Amino acid sequence: MNPARLIDGRAAAAGLLETVKEDVAKLQASGVSVTLAVVLVGDDPASHVYVRSKLLRASEVGIRSVEHRLPADTAQATLLSLIEALNSDARVNGILVQMPLPEQIDEGAVIATIAAEKDVDGFHRENVGRLVLGEPALTPCTPSGCLFLLEHTLGDLSGKHAVVIGRSNIVGKPMASLLLQANCSVTILHSHSVDARELCRQADIVVAAVGRAQMIDASWIKPGATVIDVGINRIEIDGRTRLVGDIEFESVSRVAGAITPVPGGVGPMTIGFLMRNTVLAAKGQSLKSVSAKPAQREILRCRATDRVSERS
Ligand code: NDP
């Protein structure tokens, strides 16, 4: 069997960011300065790294960003007041609160406070509900990136059997909804699933979002299947820290038809879709100020592979 085709997330994200950049320029020309507010609470080093790369990407595509750094002992009420102020600030199009938050702050309350139309992470219950109902929505960035890579690799996904391993609110569940909307037959596996390996081996598409290093080896994969590895796990090999996915890459790449690497697969798409969601939010808000209906169409017609620039 030939080795699997490598799905290049860095290249796909670069293409996506080009279209986002074009859209930002068009909005700028029409008087809208696309703006993302980023809120970072506390000193978590990984969060600081993520925020830095999001701000860098934003500036590369011409999105203005406003950073709010709050100390680790910030009270929940203070954070919610800041979000409410950002909600009412017409210059702000998207609001991102970097997770995880310090333990005194309820993440659910934070997500619920962000205005749905500025919810560029796609976590607000209004956006979650729209996605499940099959209505257009701002959709979570990581699963949107996975769908983009799948459609980029396979074209039309209709009729494919997709297995999603993991059912978190930020990856597994929205991934399953997006695949269902793309007319796949979807199976969701989780820690209570029985015969998970056998079920997975029936899949044309496997999306692994478990958070367990190299859990899925070749015995889980049907020959020729397309495999998307969301997992990001750090392991020690010979005294060195390595980043690996939930897929055991060496063996699976000998069986699969196509596979994403870690790093360089899903990761770059997540930030790409954060930028795309910020532009969609800005478009929706600027149209809304003229007429509600086109605004809805714009934000809500939101298949992951829609080129933002094609819809302007
Ligand atoms: P969660 O820990 O929230 O969810 C993990 C899911 O895996 C749960 O639904 C759990 O089931 C399921 N699970 C655990 N063990 C098994 C098992 N043995 N068999 C089947 N299912 C199992 O993780 P996330 O969804 O937040 O993240 C998953 C991975 O993706 C992590 O490695 C994370 O770092 C990575 N990630 C990567 C991103 C990127 O940009 N590339 C973005 C977000 C996440 P149950 O519900 O029953 O407990």
Side-chain angles (χ1 to χ4, degrees):
M1 181 120 193
N2 290 330
R5 175 180 158 198
L6 207 60
I7 302 172
D8 185 345
R10 289 199 181 103
L16 174 69
L17 288 169
E18 272 310 305
T19 69
V20 170
K21 195 172 177 179
E22 287 164 19
D23 266 45
V24 172
K26 280 186 200 160
L27 282 161
Q28 181 86 48
S30 68
V32 179
S33 172
V34 181
T35 301
L36 174 65
V38 179
V39 182
L40 179 57
V41 187
D43 313 308
D44 178 46
S47 292
H48 278 259
V49 172
Y50 288 136
V51 163
R52 242 197 330 273
S53 54
K54 287 168 186 177
L55 295 173
L56 179 66
R57 226 32 103 236
S59 91
E60 282 169 4
V61 296
I63 292 177
R64 194 173 78 90
S65 52
V66 186
E67 197 183 351
H68 296 268
R69 288 186 183 220
L70 303 178
D73 61 356
T74 298
Q76 176 166 313
T78 308
L79 176 57
L80 298 188
S81 301
L82 170 62
I83 295 170
E84 276 155 12
L86 296 170
N87 284 342
S88 5
D89 186 341
R91 293 164 303 179
V92 171
N93 305 111
I95 301 170
L96 172 109
V97 179
Q98 183 65 42
M99 307 288 177
L101 290 165
E103 59 182 17
Q104 75 276 12
I105 298 176
D106 172 8
E107 291 185 357
V110 169
I111 292 167
T113 303
I114 297 172
E117 63 175 15
K118 298 189 179 187
D119 167 40
V120 286
D121 266 333
F123 295 159
H124 190 283
R125 62 186 61 227
E126 187 176 323
N127 284 314
V128 174
R130 286 183 186 283
L131 172 59
V132 173
L133 291 170
E135 294 175 6
L138 287 169
T139 54
C141 302
T142 299
S144 300
C146 294
L147 185 66
F148 185 100
L149 292 177
L150 283 167
E151 294 192 322
H152 195 66
T153 306
L154 296 172
D156 183 11
L157 303 184
S158 294
K160 306 261 186 229
H161 179 205
V163 165
V164 179
I165 315 174
R167 57 173 170 178
S168 71
N169 290 337
I170 61 167
V171 189
K173 284 181 197 157
M175 185 74 253
S177 296
L178 287 167
L179 289 163
L180 200 57
Q181 265 186 42
N183 297 321
C184 290
S185 304
V186 182
T187 302
I188 306 173
L189 302 179
H190 47 77
S191 66
H192 298 266
S193 295
V194 176
D195 294 337
R197 184 192 310 251
E198 283 65 36
L199 290 166
C200 187
R201 209 166 30 214
Q202 294 168 26
D204 305 307
I205 292 167
V206 176
V207 181
V210 189
R212 290 181 180 231
Q214 301 174 321
M215 185 186 99
I216 316 291
D217 65 19
S219 68
W220 290 63
I221 305 296
K222 178 167 88 173
T226 301
V227 179
I228 304 290
D229 191 354
V230 181
I232 300 177
N233 311 288
R234 284 176 175 78
I235 59 168
E236 293 288 324
I237 297 180
D238 299 334
R240 293 179 59 196
T241 304
R242 265 189 62 202
L243 214 56
V244 296
D246 294 339
I247 302 288
E248 206 278 291
F249 186 86
E250 292 306 318
S251 70
V252 172
S253 61
R254 287 197 286 273
V255 175
I259 185 169
T260 56
V262 176
V266 173
M269 298 304 295
T270 299
I271 296 189
F273 269 84
L274 175 67
M275 300 305 134
R276 190 206 69 142
N277 277 355
T278 306
V279 166
L280 282 177
K283 281 185 173 187
Q285 289 149 28
S286 64
L287 284 165
K288 202 170 182 178
S289 62
V290 182
S291 138
K293 279 192 171 167
Q296 275 201 328
R297 272 205 306 276
E298 194 65 24
I299 268 210
L300 302 180
R301 257 199 60 210
C302 200
R303 288 285 302 284
T305 45
D306 285 351
R307 277 171 52 101
V308 177
S309 54
E310 284 170 4
R311 295 185 293 106
S312 21

